[in-house]
Amino acid sequence: TFSSPDTAYIPRGEMQAMEYLKKQPDGVVFNSFEAKEGYPFLDYRTSGYVAAFTGKQLYLDHLGPLNIIGVDFKKRWKRIQENDCTLLSHIEYIYFVKGHNSTYLDVCSLTIENDFSSDFQNGEVLIYRRKK
């Protein structure tokens, strides 16, 4: 059901990207980008699908369950909303869906260029990995 365009679905290219990320060494993933209008699936605020499909820890995940189980996510969420590039020091991977807003990537481009390398790219997703 996640691959049918007649429902909320995850595009095939994104499934390929998550399969790639799943095979990578453990590390915290930053995927906190808001979906643009028309994107066929959910963004980080309402879905934990990247963690579910990759088995990786996310910097910030589905806000509803985090709130229900009492995880204090507000500091992290505020840092994202303020485009705080220093939070990337806690990240091993950046998982960017091209159907999401790129403002954070644009603002933090110098940090990303210095600290990360492009590790995977297809028509749907760009994955950066922390340089060793």
Side-chain angles (χ1 to χ4, degrees):
T1 62
F2 288 117
S3 60
S4 172
D6 296 332
T7 63
Y9 72 99
I10 301 171
R12 186 176 321 275
E14 192 168 354
M15 293 298 294
Q16 292 168 346
M18 287 188 289
E19 184 63 31
Y20 174 83
L21 185 57
K22 181 178 182 175
K23 294 176 183 176
Q24 302 311 303
D26 284 340
V28 178
V29 177
F30 181 82
N31 74 320
S32 302
F33 302 96
E34 293 184 8
K36 292 180 185 174
E37 188 174 330
Y39 178 69
F41 203 60
L42 307 170
D43 64 23
Y44 76 100
R45 295 169 298 165
T46 55
S47 176
Y49 74 98
V50 174
F53 281 94
T54 66
K56 300 286 188 268
Q57 179 182 350
L58 301 180
Y59 179 78
L60 186 65
D61 206 348
H62 187 223
L63 302 181
L66 292 177
N67 196 39
I68 290 169
I69 62 174
V71 173
D72 185 8
F73 63 86
K74 291 177 180 75
K75 290 179 186 175
R76 288 185 178 195
W77 196 30
K78 183 178 179 187
R79 290 179 76 185
I80 292 165
Q81 291 175 317
E82 293 174 348
N83 295 315
D84 179 354
C85 302
T86 64
L87 71 83
L88 292 174
S89 66
H90 305 285
I91 304 299
E92 280 73 45
Y93 302 97
I94 299 170
Y95 182 90
F96 177 68
V97 176
K98 294 178 182 178
H100 289 175
N101 185 316
S102 66
T103 301
Y104 187 85
L105 289 182
D106 298 339
V107 170
C108 298
S109 62
L110 187 58
T111 301
I112 293 169
E113 183 180 315
N114 289 333
D115 297 345
F116 293 83
S117 59
S118 177
D119 204 43
F120 176 94
Q121 183 170 345
N122 64 20
E124 300 287 336
V125 176
L126 176 59
I127 298 174
Y128 293 96
R129 179 196 298 240
R130 176 167 297 287
K131 293 177 183 175
K132 300 202 189 267

